Each structure stands twice: as C-alpha cells, then as structure tokens.
C-alpha cells in the first residue's frame, strides 16, 4: 500500500511540475511580444493623505491582457520578466508612461502630485538606470521629489556595488525611494538604517487583520513609530475597510492605499476621479 501511495505521490508531483513548466514557458513566450503587441497597460491606484482622504498621488501598476492567456497577474509575469531580462524594456515602458501621466496631472491638477513606480532588482542593477531617470526628468518637467521609486529588499540583498552607486545617485538627483512590502523580508531594519529611504510602505498582510489581531495592530503601530523616528513617511497598503482606516488614522499613519479608496484604474478613469476631487 505504502509503495503504491509513494508512486502516486511521485506521479502527482511530476505532472504538477510538468504543468508548471509548460505554463511558465508559455507565459515567457507570449511575454516576449507583449510590449510590441501593445498588450501591456499601466493602471494607477490612488494613495491618500490619511487625515483627510484626499488623493495626493498614484502608484503605477502593470496589467497584461494576452489573447491566448487572458489576464495574467503581475505576481506571475513580473518574476518571469525579471529572470529573462524582459523587465528592462517593460520597466522602461512603465517609467515613460508614469512620468508622462504625472507630468499631465502636475500641470492640470496639482503641482505636488506624487507618482510611485515599482522597480525590479535587474533594472536597479543596470548601469544606465540613472541616465534613464535623468533623461525622463529632462523630458518631463516634474519635480524629482514627486517621483517615488518602490524597491523591495530583494534589490538590496546582493550588496552589489552598482546598487549602492545607483541609490546614492538617485538620492542626489532628488528622486525619492520607498521600501515596499515592509515587514515581509528578513533584514528590513538594517537596510532602513543603511540606505537613503524616504518612505516605508507597510505590507498589506499586516493591515489585513489589524481590527481583529492585537498583535498585528501592535506591529503596525511600532512600524509607524519607527518610520517616523527615522524621518520617513509611512504608507499603509491594502486598506479595505472603514475600521482599518480609522485605526491607521489614530496611529498617525501618513498615507493610505487600498480598495477602500479605489482599485487600480485605467489612466482615463483615474483622471476622472482626480477631476471630481479637484472640482469640489
Ligand atoms: P505592490 O507594489 O506591493 O503593489 C500593491 C499590490 O496590492 C497591487 O497588486 C495592488 O493592486 C494590490 N492592492 C492594492 N490595494 C489593495 C487592497 O485593498 N486589497 C488587496 N487585496 N490588494 C490591494 P498588483 O497590481 O497585482 O501587483 C502585484 C505586485 O506586482 C506589486 O506589488 C509589485 O510588486 C508588482 N508589480 C506591479 N506592477 C509592476 C511594475 O510596473 N514593475 C515591477 N517591477 N513590479 C510591478
Ligand atoms: Mg509597490
Ligand atoms: Mg507592496
Ligand atoms: Mg510587492
């Protein structure tokens, strides 16, 4: 009996691995032409000032619709883009689109409008990354400090010299740097001390249960206090309910992002939301 079970387990795993491998290859194959075929779109999710719920900026988030695969989530295709190097051209597209949108919104709505853009380790490790940012700042007349590059600890893990160089060069041109998904990695604390961060984004997994789990509430409160102690702005990600919002407001969190305010939206819909706010 146990032998049979062992064999079944073995078969199950190989089939599963086979499926995963095929899916991965298919996604990779389709991703190679996604940019060229205009299948990638940048959505924008607002983040608000916690005190008055006013939209003060947006995070650019990639969306991919492929005719064969349908919608593919960033959590699936970003790692593949990163491993294959496709992230360099895709990331450049996101930066260009986000800078153009921010330029427009700073011109017509609010000079202080902030734009947050996710940057992958491979992009950050590139020698020319800072040149690309400088070129974009030259092309679009936006305030460098209104651009926030979101990085995760993965970017810092390698301890690569190019990364240190790029981080200080970015800091020198006045672009802001956020630590994304704070709390999900292992060495956040030492990184916060060693690098010039401006903003800390508390991961949504900690926000989820703050109304029911006293431990999580305690952790989020500590993260906010620590962020403020280090002179950082603190953003809570994944706010979905009024109750979560009220607690974060009481904890003096600076900014909030989540479905309670809005899901990520196509550019035109985001602009309609902004228009409504600004005309009040
Ligand atoms: P992230 O940077 O932490 O982005 C926040 C994620 O949380 C987004 O998922 C957003 O849609 C989702 N979210 C926002 N509010 C809520 C909420 O109230 N509830 C829940 N359940 N989720 C919420 P999304 O768009 O699927 O992106 C997933 C991840 O993919 C991002 O996490 C980021 O790491 C990566 N990503 C997305 N776009 C890009 C990009 O242009 N470049 C790079 N390098 N990575 C990207
Ligand atoms: Mg992010
Ligand atoms: Mg995050
Ligand atoms: Mg993330």
């Amino acid at each position: 009996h146990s032998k049979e079970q062992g064999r079944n387990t073995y078969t199950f795993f190989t089939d599963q691995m086979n499926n995963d491998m095929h899916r991965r290859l298919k996604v990779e194959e389709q991703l190679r032409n996604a940019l060229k075929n205009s299948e990638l779109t940048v959505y924008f999710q607002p983040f608000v000032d916690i005190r008055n719920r006013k939209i003060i900026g947006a995070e650019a988030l990639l969306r991919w619709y492929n005719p064969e695969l349908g919608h593919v989530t960033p959590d699936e295709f970003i790692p593949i883009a990163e491993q294959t190097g496709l992230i360099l051209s895709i990331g450049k597209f996101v930066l260009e689109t986000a800078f153009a949108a921010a330029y427009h919104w700073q011109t017509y709505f609010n000079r202080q409008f902030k734009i947050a853009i996710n940057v992958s380790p491979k992009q950050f490790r590139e020698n020319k990354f800072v040149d690309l940012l400088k070129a974009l700042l030259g092309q679009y007349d936006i305030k460098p400090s209104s651009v926030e590059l979101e990085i995760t600890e993965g970017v810092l893990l390698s301890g690569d010299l190019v990364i240190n160089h790029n981080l200080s060069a970015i800091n020198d041109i006045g672009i802001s740097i956020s630590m994304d998904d704070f709390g999900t990695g292992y060495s956040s604390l030492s990184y916060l001390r060693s690098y010039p961060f401006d903003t800390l984004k508390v991961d949504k997994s900690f926000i989820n249960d703050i109304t029911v789990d006293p431990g999580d509430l305690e952790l989020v409160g500590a993260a906010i206090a620590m962020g403020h102690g280090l002179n950082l702005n603190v953003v809570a990600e994944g706010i979905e309910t009024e109750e979560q919002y009220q607690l974060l407001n009481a904890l003096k969190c600076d900014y909030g992002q989540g479905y309670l305010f809005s899901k990520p939206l196509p550019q035109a819909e985001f602009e309609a939301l902004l228009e409504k706010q600004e005309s009040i």
Side-chain angles (χ1 to χ4, degrees):
H1 178 73
S2 85
K3 198 173 172 189
E4 198 172 62
Q5 214 171 34
R7 198 171 57 221
N8 285 341
T9 312
Y10 181 71
T11 316
F12 170 78
F13 276 117
T14 49
D15 283 351
Q16 188 58 46
M17 281 157 70
N18 213 0
N19 287 341
D20 288 354
M21 202 176 72
H22 274 106
R23 169 78 186 181
R24 199 200 170 285
L25 286 172
K26 187 79 201 161
V27 170
E28 179 180 332
E29 180 199 346
Q30 294 299 309
L31 192 59
R32 291 199 179 277
N33 298 312
L35 201 54
K36 186 180 76 202
N37 294 341
S38 307
E39 294 167 10
L40 293 166
T41 323
V42 178
Y43 274 40
F44 296 90
Q45 185 180 33
F47 51 88
V48 304
D49 182 329
I50 252 321
R51 290 164 305 179
N52 54 20
R53 300 168 78 129
K54 268 197 89 166
I55 298 171
I56 53 151
E59 177 174 6
L61 292 161
L62 263 174
R63 293 292 176 264
W64 180 25
Y65 179 80
N66 174 266
E68 270 184 57
L69 297 166
H71 292 282
V72 185
T73 65
D75 286 329
E76 182 175 11
F77 74 79
I78 293 287
I80 296 174
E82 172 79 18
Q83 284 151 22
T84 54
L86 289 166
I87 195 68
L88 295 180
S89 53
I90 292 174
K92 188 168 178 229
F93 162 75
V94 175
L95 283 163
E96 281 166 348
T97 310
F99 268 67
Y103 171 67
H104 184 75
W105 296 330
Q106 287 190 2
T107 307
Y108 296 101
F109 295 100
N110 174 1
R111 277 306 291 168
Q112 310 299 324
F113 189 88
K114 290 174 188 285
I115 186 75
I117 304 161
N118 294 287
V119 178
S120 288
K122 194 159 269 167
Q123 284 174 279
F124 219 87
R125 231 178 276 129
E126 227 205 354
N127 278 310
K128 287 190 194 138
F129 184 60
V130 178
D131 291 338
L132 172 61
L133 294 172
K134 283 182 182 162
L136 287 168
L137 284 174
Q139 196 179 340
Y140 300 101
D141 179 27
I142 57 181
K143 274 178 54 187
S145 63
S146 67
V147 178
E148 299 230 333
L149 300 182
E150 298 193 354
I151 63 177
T152 53
E153 284 166 51
V155 171
L156 308 170
L157 269 176
S158 73
D160 204 311
L161 281 180
V162 182
I163 288 173
N164 288 310
H165 175 267
N166 282 351
L167 269 170
S168 35
I170 288 165
N171 192 41
D172 289 345
I173 56 179
I175 285 182
S176 309
I177 301 163
S178 300
M179 159 119 3
D180 203 351
D181 303 342
F182 180 74
T184 58
Y186 291 102
S187 324
S188 315
L189 294 181
S190 65
Y191 287 134
L192 281 183
R193 189 183 52 182
S194 325
Y195 296 100
F197 284 99
D198 301 278
T199 303
L200 193 150
K201 296 190 83 169
V202 180
D203 193 69
K204 57 177 176 290
S205 59
F206 294 98
I207 307 301
N208 246 337
D209 295 332
I210 49 169
T211 56
V212 288
D213 186 331
D216 281 358
L217 182 62
E218 204 58 47
L219 279 176
V220 171
I224 293 169
M226 188 198 60
H228 288 163
L230 292 169
N231 233 341
L232 306 173
N233 287 314
V234 182
V235 186
E237 296 188 304
I239 305 177
E240 294 184 353
T241 68
E242 196 60 43
E243 292 71 26
Q244 291 168 338
Y245 167 76
Q246 294 302 342
L247 281 177
L248 290 159
N249 192 20
L251 290 170
K252 300 269 184 282
C253 190
D254 303 284
Y255 307 135
Q257 189 177 341
Y259 297 166
L260 176 67
F261 313 110
S262 168
K263 295 201 167 192
L265 301 170
Q267 191 163 335
E269 282 175 47
F270 181 87
E271 203 164 304
L273 196 67
L274 211 52
E275 225 155 65
K276 212 168 77 188
Q277 166 174 297
E278 298 298 324
S279 68
I280 289 170

PDB file of all heavy atoms in Angstrom, residues 49 103-104 126 168 182 185 196 198 201 203 209 229 241 249 254 280:
ATOM      1  N   ASP A  49      -3.889  61.110   1.598  1.00  0.00           N
ATOM      2  CA  ASP A  49      -3.463  61.657   2.877  1.00  0.00           C
ATOM      3  C   ASP A  49      -4.424  61.073   3.908  1.00  0.00           C
ATOM      4  O   ASP A  49      -5.642  61.233   3.779  1.00  0.00           O
ATOM      5  CB  ASP A  49      -3.581  63.197   2.819  1.00  0.00           C
ATOM      6  CG  ASP A  49      -3.102  63.852   4.100  1.00  0.00           C
ATOM      7  OD1 ASP A  49      -3.228  63.239   5.183  1.00  0.00           O
ATOM      8  OD2 ASP A  49      -2.623  64.996   4.014  1.00  0.00           O
ATOM      9  N   TYR A 103       3.340  64.155 -15.285  1.00  0.00           N
ATOM     10  CA  TYR A 103       3.551  65.488 -15.845  1.00  0.00           C
ATOM     11  C   TYR A 103       2.194  66.146 -16.123  1.00  0.00           C
ATOM     12  O   TYR A 103       1.946  67.305 -15.769  1.00  0.00           O
ATOM     13  CB  TYR A 103       4.372  65.398 -17.129  1.00  0.00           C
ATOM     14  CG  TYR A 103       4.452  66.712 -17.869  1.00  0.00           C
ATOM     15  CD1 TYR A 103       5.148  67.789 -17.323  1.00  0.00           C
ATOM     16  CD2 TYR A 103       3.810  66.880 -19.091  1.00  0.00           C
ATOM     17  CE1 TYR A 103       5.204  69.008 -17.980  1.00  0.00           C
ATOM     18  CE2 TYR A 103       3.871  68.098 -19.759  1.00  0.00           C
ATOM     19  CZ  TYR A 103       4.561  69.154 -19.195  1.00  0.00           C
ATOM     20  OH  TYR A 103       4.608  70.349 -19.847  1.00  0.00           O
ATOM     21  N   HIS A 104       1.326  65.388 -16.738  1.00  0.00           N
ATOM     22  CA  HIS A 104      -0.018  65.866 -17.053  1.00  0.00           C
ATOM     23  C   HIS A 104      -0.782  66.246 -15.777  1.00  0.00           C
ATOM     24  O   HIS A 104      -1.373  67.326 -15.685  1.00  0.00           O
ATOM     25  CB  HIS A 104      -0.745  64.760 -17.817  1.00  0.00           C
ATOM     26  CG  HIS A 104      -2.096  65.138 -18.284  1.00  0.00           C
ATOM     27  ND1 HIS A 104      -2.307  65.981 -19.350  1.00  0.00           N
ATOM     28  CD2 HIS A 104      -3.320  64.793 -17.816  1.00  0.00           C
ATOM     29  CE1 HIS A 104      -3.597  66.137 -19.522  1.00  0.00           C
ATOM     30  NE2 HIS A 104      -4.239  65.437 -18.614  1.00  0.00           N
ATOM     31  N   GLU A 126      21.197  47.987 -13.258  1.00  0.00           N
ATOM     32  CA  GLU A 126      21.722  48.397 -14.557  1.00  0.00           C
ATOM     33  C   GLU A 126      22.529  49.688 -14.440  1.00  0.00           C
ATOM     34  O   GLU A 126      22.107  50.628 -13.773  1.00  0.00           O
ATOM     35  CB  GLU A 126      20.545  48.632 -15.507  1.00  0.00           C
ATOM     36  CG  GLU A 126      20.727  47.992 -16.836  1.00  0.00           C
ATOM     37  CD  GLU A 126      19.923  48.710 -17.894  1.00  0.00           C
ATOM     38  OE1 GLU A 126      19.137  49.628 -17.547  1.00  0.00           O
ATOM     39  OE2 GLU A 126      20.080  48.363 -19.058  1.00  0.00           O
ATOM     40  N   SER A 168      22.724  56.119  -4.316  1.00  0.00           N
ATOM     41  CA  SER A 168      23.156  57.472  -3.939  1.00  0.00           C
ATOM     42  C   SER A 168      23.003  58.446  -5.096  1.00  0.00           C
ATOM     43  O   SER A 168      22.670  59.614  -4.863  1.00  0.00           O
ATOM     44  CB  SER A 168      24.568  57.506  -3.336  1.00  0.00           C
ATOM     45  OG  SER A 168      25.388  56.572  -3.932  1.00  0.00           O
ATOM     46  N   PHE A 182       7.088  46.365   3.318  1.00  0.00           N
ATOM     47  CA  PHE A 182       7.855  46.362   4.559  1.00  0.00           C
ATOM     48  C   PHE A 182       7.291  45.336   5.548  1.00  0.00           C
ATOM     49  O   PHE A 182       6.087  45.266   5.769  1.00  0.00           O
ATOM     50  CB  PHE A 182       7.863  47.748   5.210  1.00  0.00           C
ATOM     51  CG  PHE A 182       8.646  47.798   6.493  1.00  0.00           C
ATOM     52  CD1 PHE A 182      10.035  47.770   6.467  1.00  0.00           C
ATOM     53  CD2 PHE A 182       8.006  47.849   7.720  1.00  0.00           C
ATOM     54  CE1 PHE A 182      10.769  47.795   7.636  1.00  0.00           C
ATOM     55  CE2 PHE A 182       8.730  47.884   8.900  1.00  0.00           C
ATOM     56  CZ  PHE A 182      10.115  47.845   8.854  1.00  0.00           C
ATOM     57  N   GLY A 185      10.167  40.767   4.588  1.00  0.00           N
ATOM     58  CA  GLY A 185      11.505  40.206   4.369  1.00  0.00           C
ATOM     59  C   GLY A 185      12.186  39.889   5.685  1.00  0.00           C
ATOM     60  O   GLY A 185      11.527  39.741   6.715  1.00  0.00           O
ATOM     61  N   PRO A 196      19.300  55.529   1.891  1.00  0.00           N
ATOM     62  CA  PRO A 196      18.555  56.799   1.993  1.00  0.00           C
ATOM     63  C   PRO A 196      17.073  56.675   1.623  1.00  0.00           C
ATOM     64  O   PRO A 196      16.633  57.231   0.631  1.00  0.00           O
ATOM     65  CB  PRO A 196      19.288  57.691   0.982  1.00  0.00           C
ATOM     66  CG  PRO A 196      19.802  56.743  -0.055  1.00  0.00           C
ATOM     67  CD  PRO A 196      20.110  55.473   0.651  1.00  0.00           C
ATOM     68  N   ASP A 198      12.997  57.354   1.834  1.00  0.00           N
ATOM     69  CA  ASP A 198      12.114  58.466   2.163  1.00  0.00           C
ATOM     70  C   ASP A 198      10.786  57.973   2.709  1.00  0.00           C
ATOM     71  O   ASP A 198      10.108  58.669   3.453  1.00  0.00           O
ATOM     72  CB  ASP A 198      11.840  59.304   0.902  1.00  0.00           C
ATOM     73  CG  ASP A 198      13.117  59.856   0.307  1.00  0.00           C
ATOM     74  OD1 ASP A 198      13.592  60.886   0.797  1.00  0.00           O
ATOM     75  OD2 ASP A 198      13.670  59.218  -0.622  1.00  0.00           O
ATOM     76  N   LYS A 201       6.504  51.506   3.072  1.00  0.00           N
ATOM     77  CA  LYS A 201       5.158  51.008   2.787  1.00  0.00           C
ATOM     78  C   LYS A 201       4.925  49.715   3.557  1.00  0.00           C
ATOM     79  O   LYS A 201       5.539  48.687   3.260  1.00  0.00           O
ATOM     80  CB  LYS A 201       4.983  50.766   1.280  1.00  0.00           C
ATOM     81  CG  LYS A 201       5.088  52.039   0.461  1.00  0.00           C
ATOM     82  CD  LYS A 201       4.685  51.820  -0.985  1.00  0.00           C
ATOM     83  CE  LYS A 201       3.189  51.880  -1.177  1.00  0.00           C
ATOM     84  NZ  LYS A 201       2.792  51.928  -2.610  1.00  0.00           N
ATOM     85  N   ASP A 203       3.375  46.406   4.481  1.00  0.00           N
ATOM     86  CA  ASP A 203       2.727  45.414   3.629  1.00  0.00           C
ATOM     87  C   ASP A 203       1.282  45.156   4.038  1.00  0.00           C
ATOM     88  O   ASP A 203       0.943  45.156   5.220  1.00  0.00           O
ATOM     89  CB  ASP A 203       3.504  44.100   3.672  1.00  0.00           C
ATOM     90  CG  ASP A 203       3.059  43.163   2.571  1.00  0.00           C
ATOM     91  OD1 ASP A 203       3.340  43.471   1.393  1.00  0.00           O
ATOM     92  OD2 ASP A 203       2.411  42.149   2.878  1.00  0.00           O
ATOM     93  N   ASP A 209      -5.541  42.224   9.196  1.00  0.00           N
ATOM     94  CA  ASP A 209      -6.200  41.781  10.428  1.00  0.00           C
ATOM     95  C   ASP A 209      -6.080  42.764  11.583  1.00  0.00           C
ATOM     96  O   ASP A 209      -6.323  42.387  12.725  1.00  0.00           O
ATOM     97  CB  ASP A 209      -5.610  40.428  10.856  1.00  0.00           C
ATOM     98  CG  ASP A 209      -5.918  39.349   9.832  1.00  0.00           C
ATOM     99  OD1 ASP A 209      -6.955  39.470   9.142  1.00  0.00           O
ATOM    100  OD2 ASP A 209      -5.114  38.397   9.715  1.00  0.00           O
ATOM    101  N   GLY A 229      10.356  57.920  13.522  1.00  0.00           N
ATOM    102  CA  GLY A 229      11.626  58.128  14.224  1.00  0.00           C
ATOM    103  C   GLY A 229      12.783  58.278  13.245  1.00  0.00           C
ATOM    104  O   GLY A 229      13.739  58.998  13.510  1.00  0.00           O
ATOM    105  N   THR A 241     -11.266  48.453   4.652  1.00  0.00           N
ATOM    106  CA  THR A 241     -12.464  48.783   5.431  1.00  0.00           C
ATOM    107  C   THR A 241     -12.305  50.110   6.180  1.00  0.00           C
ATOM    108  O   THR A 241     -11.192  50.557   6.472  1.00  0.00           O
ATOM    109  CB  THR A 241     -12.775  47.691   6.486  1.00  0.00           C
ATOM    110  OG1 THR A 241     -11.749  47.704   7.489  1.00  0.00           O
ATOM    111  CG2 THR A 241     -12.860  46.311   5.856  1.00  0.00           C
ATOM    112  N   ASN A 249      -5.546  55.959  11.070  1.00  0.00           N
ATOM    113  CA  ASN A 249      -5.624  57.393  11.307  1.00  0.00           C
ATOM    114  C   ASN A 249      -5.243  57.694  12.764  1.00  0.00           C
ATOM    115  O   ASN A 249      -4.453  58.601  13.042  1.00  0.00           O
ATOM    116  CB  ASN A 249      -7.044  57.884  10.985  1.00  0.00           C
ATOM    117  CG  ASN A 249      -7.139  59.398  10.933  1.00  0.00           C
ATOM    118  OD1 ASN A 249      -6.124  60.081  10.777  1.00  0.00           O
ATOM    119  ND2 ASN A 249      -8.344  59.923  11.073  1.00  0.00           N
ATOM    120  N   ASP A 254       0.789  58.189   7.726  1.00  0.00           N
ATOM    121  CA  ASP A 254       0.733  59.378   6.865  1.00  0.00           C
ATOM    122  C   ASP A 254      -0.196  59.194   5.670  1.00  0.00           C
ATOM    123  O   ASP A 254      -1.049  60.038   5.401  1.00  0.00           O
ATOM    124  CB  ASP A 254       2.134  59.729   6.358  1.00  0.00           C
ATOM    125  CG  ASP A 254       3.092  59.951   7.498  1.00  0.00           C
ATOM    126  OD1 ASP A 254       3.005  61.026   8.115  1.00  0.00           O
ATOM    127  OD2 ASP A 254       3.896  59.047   7.795  1.00  0.00           O
ATOM    128  N   ILE A 280     -14.197  69.899  -6.347  1.00  0.00           N
ATOM    129  CA  ILE A 280     -15.001  70.123  -5.134  1.00  0.00           C
ATOM    130  C   ILE A 280     -14.551  71.393  -4.426  1.00  0.00           C
ATOM    131  O   ILE A 280     -13.364  71.622  -4.286  1.00  0.00           O
ATOM    132  CB  ILE A 280     -14.900  68.898  -4.168  1.00  0.00           C
ATOM    133  CG1 ILE A 280     -15.665  67.721  -4.772  1.00  0.00           C
ATOM    134  CG2 ILE A 280     -15.450  69.226  -2.797  1.00  0.00           C
ATOM    135  CD1 ILE A 280     -15.469  66.402  -4.065  1.00  0.00           C
TER     136      ILE A 280
END
